[in-house]
Amino acid sequence: TRVVGGRSGLRHARRVGGRWVPAPPGRTWPAAWRGADLVHLAGLDLPPPRRARFVVTVHDLSPLVYDDEGALPPWFDEVAAHAETILTPTAFTASELGRLRGIPPERVTVFGGAPALEVAGAQPLTPEELGQLGIRAPFVLRTGGYTQRKNVPLLLQAWQGVSEGTL
């Protein structure tokens, strides 16, 4: 197994017992794919291989909907046109591929999301431990960014209802 990519690729290669082929985002060379029966582009960081068969995972199309989400890479249309299969973690992303890019549903496979990230040995804090940190119920732990699609203003509005007991 060859894993082509940046530092995260190195970590993945070690986990799966594969060989790491370094490649900065957006650049690779034909030799990286040489001899591969099938290449899986786990995201859109690298352009597609020219001569190897490939599948691609598309996690979302948020740059096409929200102007604060960056942009799709310039090779997106090439990837979408030539991938043997487009994999997505959700039915929503599959439908967006059709709605926003005209990709027929038979070219898309929804595989479902991965299990939630677990931190080895981590246990939830007890109410007493939370109290020692100054955290009292009710509370919300929100992770993620602050782009438009995360809709933090709606979370804050809902939280006001929780704290007032109206929800």
Side-chain angles (χ1 to χ4, degrees):
T1 301
R2 250 177 294 165
V3 178
V4 179
R7 289 268 180 225
S8 64
L10 171 61
R11 288 189 297 275
H12 182 66
R14 286 178 177 157
R15 271 195 312 270
V16 300
R19 193 185 80 182
W20 178 52
V21 179
R27 291 191 358 211
T28 190
W29 52 94
W33 317 120
R34 187 175 299 130
D37 295 324
L38 182 68
V39 172
H40 175 203
L41 297 173
L44 298 170
D45 293 342
L46 298 174
R50 296 277 178 225
R51 292 182 180 86
R53 297 171 43 228
F54 70 95
V55 298
V56 64
T57 298
V58 175
H59 295 276
D60 66 59
L61 295 176
S62 57
L64 298 179
V65 180
Y66 299 99
D67 44 348
D68 64 341
E69 288 284 345
L72 292 175
W75 51 81
F76 179 83
D77 290 333
E78 181 182 358
V79 166
H82 299 292
E84 293 197 16
T85 300
I86 299 172
L87 304 165
T88 68
T90 65
F92 177 77
T93 299
S95 70
E96 292 286 272
L97 284 163
R99 182 177 77 83
L100 298 172
R101 292 309 244 212
I103 297 171
E106 59 271 12
R107 295 205 50 237
V108 181
T109 298
V110 178
F111 62 84
L117 175 66
E118 292 184 25
V119 178
Q123 297 294 318
L125 296 177
T126 66
E128 294 77 26
E129 291 169 323
L130 289 169
Q132 290 172 356
L133 295 171
I135 301 171
R136 290 164 189 63
F139 66 91
V140 171
L141 172 62
R142 189 195 82 76
T143 61
Y146 289 90
T147 58
Q148 291 173 352
R149 74 182 166 119
K150 300 299 182 176
N151 205 353
V152 174
L154 181 61
L155 172 65
L156 295 173
Q157 182 181 357
W159 179 249
Q160 184 176 358
V162 169
S163 64
E164 293 172 355
T166 59
L167 288 181

